[in-house]
Amino acid sequence: MYSVHHEPHFSNRNNWLRATVLGANDGLISTASLLMGVAAAGTQSQTLIMAGMASLIAGAISMAAGEYVSVSSQSDTEQADLLKEQHELTHNPERELMELTEIYKRRGLDAKLAKEVAIALTEHNALEAHARDEIRLNDDTAANPLQAAIASGLSFIAGAVLPVLCVYLASHEVLIGALWATTLIGLAALGYLSARLGGAKPLPAVIRIIIWGVIALAATQLIGQLFDVTMA
C-alpha cells in the first residue's frame, strides 16, 4: 500500500524568510551603523543607549509598517487578477479552456492530453487551475501582509538588540572595536542561517552580507570622526 509523500521545498519559505532576513539585516546594520557614527563622535554611553533603543523601536515599527503596506499592495494586485480571471471564466469559459489547454501544450503535453487535463482541472476547480497555471498564484506563494509585517518587525528587533547590548556592556575605551566585532559576527551568523534555511550555499551569503556591513560601519565611523573633529 502506497502513501503520499509530501516533499517540502525551500521556495515555500520565501514569504516569511525574505521578510525575516531583511528585517534582521536592517536592524543589525542600521542600528550598529547609527551607534558607530555617534560613538565615533565621542558621545557618552547613556546617550548611545538611548539612541540605540530609539533606533530599535522606531526601526521595528517602520519595518513592520513598510512591509505590511508593500505586501498588501501585492495582495491587492493578486486579488484583482483573481477577480478578473473569475469574470473571464464566467463570461468566456470556452476561451479560458483554450488558454489552459495551450499552457499544458507548451509544457510538453500533446494536444489531446492537454485538453483532457484542462477539462478535468476546470471541472474540479477552474479558478484554482487558472490561478496556479496562468497567473502562477498558489497558497504557498500568495502574499500575506500580516505574516510579513510580524516577521519583519520581530526580526528587526532581534538584529538591533545585538549592537544595543554591545553599547550597554562594553566599556567606552573598547566600544568601537566591540561594535565592529559583534556586528560582523552577527552578520556572518545571519548570512549563514538565511542560506541554510533557503537551501543555498552559506559562503556567498556570508561574504556579501559582511561586505555591505563593512561599508556601512566604515562610512558612519568616518562621518562620526569628522563631526568629532569639527566640534572639537
Side-chain angles (χ1 to χ4, degrees):
M1 191 174 176
Y2 296 98
S3 61
V4 176
H5 171 63
H6 176 69
E7 183 181 356
H9 294 279
F10 294 111
S11 58
N12 293 342
R13 303 171 178 174
N14 280 346
N15 277 343
W16 62 265
L17 181 59
R18 179 193 63 82
T20 301
V21 171
L22 177 62
N25 180 69
D26 194 22
L28 180 52
I29 290 182
S30 63
T31 305
S33 298
L34 170 68
L35 293 175
M36 179 68 76
V38 178
T43 306
Q44 297 300 314
S45 296
Q46 186 176 4
T47 304
L48 283 172
I49 294 173
M50 291 177 61
M53 290 302 300
S55 174
L56 185 153
I57 294 170
I61 296 173
S62 176
M63 177 65 70
E67 195 71 17
Y68 185 84
V69 171
S70 174
V71 179
S72 291
S73 297
Q74 179 186 339
S75 180
D76 290 343
T77 301
E78 292 174 357
Q79 292 303 313
D81 277 340
L82 289 175
L83 288 173
K84 180 180 179 182
E85 199 62 35
Q86 184 63 69
H87 179 272
E88 292 298 319
L89 286 167
T90 302
H91 295 87
N92 301 292
E94 291 299 322
R95 188 173 66 184
E96 291 300 302
L97 181 62
M98 290 176 58
E99 284 184 357
L100 208 55
T101 301
E102 288 299 317
I103 290 171
Y104 298 141
K105 285 169 62 177
R106 289 196 298 269
R107 292 183 181 178
L109 300 183
D110 61 57
K112 180 181 178 182
L113 181 56
K115 187 170 183 178
E116 290 175 353
V117 172
I119 291 172
L121 292 178
T122 298
E123 290 176 350
H124 173 68
N125 190 325
L127 183 59
E128 181 184 84
H130 283 269
R132 180 184 60 247
D133 296 321
E134 184 181 349
I135 311 175
R136 303 194 179 185
L137 294 178
N138 58 62
D139 291 338
D140 291 328
T141 59
N144 188 325
L146 187 59
Q147 181 190 60
I150 292 173
S152 292
L154 292 180
S155 59
F156 186 98
I157 293 173
V161 161
L162 189 60
V164 173
L165 284 176
C166 178
V167 169
Y168 181 76
L169 297 173
S171 64
H172 193 73
E173 291 75 18
V174 300
L175 180 57
I176 298 294
L179 273 173
W180 269 103
T182 54
T183 302
L184 295 183
I185 291 172
L187 288 174
L190 176 61
Y192 178 84
L193 181 61
S194 63
R196 294 293 295 176
L197 288 173
K201 293 182 179 179
L203 186 57
V206 170
I207 291 175
R208 62 175 172 252
I209 199 171
I210 284 181
I211 288 174
W212 284 109
V214 168
I215 292 173
L217 291 174
T220 51
Q221 182 179 359
L222 176 62
I223 292 171
Q225 289 172 341
L226 289 175
F227 269 95
D228 186 35
V229 170
T230 303
M231 289 187 295

